Amino acid sequence: MVPAAGRRERHESWMRRALAVAGSAPETGDVPVGAVVLGPAGEELAYGHNEREATGDPTAHAELVALRRAAAALGGWRLTDCTLVVTLEPCTMCAGALVLARVGTLVFGAWEPKTGAVGSLWDVVRDPRVPHRMEVYAGVLADECGAVLRDFFGRP
């Protein structure tokens, strides 16, 4: 078990990588959200940013792009011992995908009061009726993650 201070440092390091992914997205009009999937030893398996505008795919959220790439890298859909790090609280679609992919740990940055499904509006990943449980660490570098979104939407 990693002590809380060491875990926080590791999560912040991973979140900085997710922020870099969000910032590296092409100028397509997509909301700048970045996601990274890490393997059991903390190695990066895949990453993704929102691609809905770029691809015309309504399911191309950063989390789903990263999950698809991680599953391809591992050669299977079960991501049981993996961690997904994302700059924004997942929506219901993405939270459901995390459960179905059996992701072991979720780390997210900014809260999403309008569509958040990991505590804001719903709590899909911790609902006792779903068949899989994961660890959740919320609010990691929340101010930095929120600033990226405020800048994008032109809000102070």
Side-chain angles (χ1 to χ4, degrees):
M1 179 99 155
V2 177
R7 183 174 42 242
R8 183 180 64 246
E9 289 172 3
R10 185 177 64 214
H11 290 172
E12 288 179 358
S13 172
W14 293 342
M15 188 60 71
R16 284 187 183 84
R17 172 65 179 131
L19 281 163
V21 170
S24 70
E27 294 291 325
T28 60
D30 279 298
V31 177
V33 175
V36 179
V37 178
L38 302 145
E43 73 281 14
E44 184 174 317
L45 297 175
Y47 65 90
H49 51 74
N50 278 349
E51 297 180 3
R52 291 186 311 166
E53 299 296 333
T55 63
D57 178 355
T59 69
H61 289 202
E63 300 94 310
L64 293 184
V65 171
L67 288 175
R68 288 178 186 131
R69 290 176 178 166
L74 291 174
W77 63 268
R78 286 181 183 87
L79 304 176
T80 308
D81 294 323
C82 295
T83 299
L84 182 119
V85 181
V86 62
T87 58
L88 182 64
E89 179 185 3
C91 68
T92 53
M93 175 181 67
C94 294
L98 292 168
V99 169
L100 294 174
R102 310 294 194 265
V103 169
T105 304
L106 167 64
V107 177
F108 73 86
W111 291 92
E112 174 45 283
K114 293 181 181 179
T115 62
V118 187
S120 288
L121 290 180
W122 302 280
D123 199 347
V124 172
V125 302
R126 290 177 286 218
D127 189 306
R129 297 167 293 184
V130 299
H132 173 71
R133 302 285 179 276
M134 69 187 69
E135 289 184 73
V136 176
Y137 298 92
V140 176
L141 298 181
D143 291 340
E144 292 91 330
C145 294
V148 170
L149 297 166
R150 286 189 299 277
D151 289 348
F152 177 78
F153 289 111
R155 297 182 188 146

